[in-house]
Amino acid sequence: MTLHHRAVRRHAAALTAALMLLTACTGGGLSPGKDDPLQTKATAEVKGLAETRAQAVATTAGNPLDDWRTNTSPCVGRRGEIADDGRWKLSGFAGIPVAPADQITTLHRVRDMWRQQGYEITEDRTFAEGTRGAVSMRDTETGITVSLTTTKSRDRIALILASDCYMPAAGEDPANA
């Protein structure tokens, strides 16, 4: 076997291992499809999880959440389809007042807290001018994602939260609330 063939085999083996690891970490690399079974969750339970994640960010940032709000909506499939079985997701939004000079440091402090708690960091970047940035995480246990980004006005950090899709608890219809 030539040196070139050995190198190709080594790279192919490494690529295969990386793909297997990626697939294992992402549940097959596919988001749930329209007909896949989902967990049933009460709206209050998911709202509680979301608020806990958002409050942890605010505590770490050292400032309160400004205008925290959540809403529920139907889950939308990859091709824009909406299932007719009531599956739903929750979104949350808030601002966190942070002085412009402290924003990058605050993003890094929150990122470090997330890492210490075992969350998957999905984005961590500083924009070209070095005074703005974004950081995001995914809680693989609950499926909640949280993204933080500096705002154009530079007076706050925007927090955006999203949950996985769930089936509604008995008597609830959060997809159509």
Side-chain angles (χ1 to χ4, degrees), residues 43-64:
T43 307
E45 178 183 357
V46 178
K47 281 184 177 183
L49 287 169
E51 187 164 353
T52 297
R53 298 301 179 275
Q55 287 297 338
V57 169
T59 299
T60 302
N63 290 310

Side-chain angles (χ1 to χ4, degrees), residues 104-118:
I104 295 297
T105 303
T106 300
L107 290 177
H108 291 169
R109 197 167 52 247
V110 171
R111 176 207 57 209
D112 293 345
M113 178 264 301
W114 285 339
R115 279 189 180 142
Q116 288 173 349
Q117 293 181 352

